[in-house]
């Protein structure tokens, strides 16, 4: 919906011909990306959710709906787990690498975003060699939740 509207307003102002010439480059998976399609879809969805208005995000979700529905069981599990990690405030804070900026962001809150808490979250990011999630991070997110969800694998957190 949004792409068609923007195209009507701006025509080829955005250089569609140039982008067509770069189609292979634009559609290739960067080296730092996860090989998991489910993980890549979840990261894209969660990161867009941070910056895009709900109407645009809804359009993207409708566009990706078939791709997500056709994921294998393993890819669906990756999608769900990466979505859980990238939807957490810990991942949001882990993406802030500048200590002064991080301190400013969390300055007034009594929360633990220390290096010990954020380093394992940073490690699961594909740009740092991770796959987008780990059992350790999933369990930490679930067991430290106010809702006290069970740990991954069904073990209840005490």
């Amino acid at each position: 919906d949004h792409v068609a509207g923007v195209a009507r307003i701006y025509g080829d102002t955005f250089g569609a011909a140039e982008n067509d010439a770069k189609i292979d480059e634009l559609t290739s998976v960067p080296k730092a990306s996860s090989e998991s399609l489910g993980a890549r879809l979840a990261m894209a969805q969660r990161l867009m959710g941070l910056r895009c208005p709900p109407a645009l995000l809804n359009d993207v979700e409708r566009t990706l709906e078939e791709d997500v529905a056709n994921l294998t069981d393993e890819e669906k599990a990756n999608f769900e787990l990466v979505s859980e990690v990238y939807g957490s405030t810990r991942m949001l804070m882990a993406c802030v690498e500048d200590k002064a900026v991080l301190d400013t962001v969390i300055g007034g809150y009594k929360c633990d975003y220390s290096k010990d808490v954020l380093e394992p979250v940073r490690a699961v990011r594909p740009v740092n060699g991770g796959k987008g999630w780990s059992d350790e991070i999933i369990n930490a997110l679930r067991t430290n939740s106010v809702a006290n969800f069970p740990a991954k694998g069904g073990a209840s957190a005490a």
Side-chain angles (χ1 to χ4, degrees), residues 23-153:
I23 196 75
D24 289 335
E25 176 187 342
L26 295 171
T27 58
S28 66
V29 178
K31 219 176 191 53
S33 293
S34 171
E35 295 301 316
S36 165
L37 177 60
R40 291 194 322 260
L41 287 171
M43 281 183 256
Q45 183 184 52
R46 286 300 187 163
L47 293 174
M48 287 187 72
L50 294 173
R51 302 214 42 156
C52 300
L56 179 57
L57 192 56
N58 289 339
D59 283 351
V60 170
E61 288 176 357
R62 273 195 308 275
T63 302
L64 296 177
E65 190 174 331
E66 186 176 338
D67 292 322
V68 172
N70 290 325
L71 292 173
T72 65
D73 288 343
E74 181 181 349
E75 292 297 335
K76 285 179 186 173
N78 283 333
F79 178 86
E80 294 298 330
L81 293 167
V82 170
S83 185
E84 187 172 345
V85 172
Y86 272 75
S88 72
T89 54
R90 281 193 193 185
M91 179 56 81
L92 185 60
M93 295 298 109
C95 289
V96 180
E97 295 179 359
D98 184 311
K99 177 81 170 106
V101 172
L102 181 63
D103 289 345
T104 301
V105 169
I106 64 171
Y109 298 97
K110 294 180 180 174
C111 48
D112 184 11
Y113 288 121
S114 65
K115 186 175 181 177
D116 292 341
V117 170
L118 295 181
E119 283 305 317
V121 181
R122 287 183 177 125
V124 301
R125 295 179 63 204
V127 72
N128 295 326
K131 62 181 178 182
W133 67 274
S134 72
D135 287 341
E136 174 191 6
I137 298 305
I138 292 293
N139 287 335
L141 291 173
R142 291 180 182 179
T143 58
N144 291 316
S145 169
V146 173
N148 200 20
F149 293 110
K152 186 175 179 294

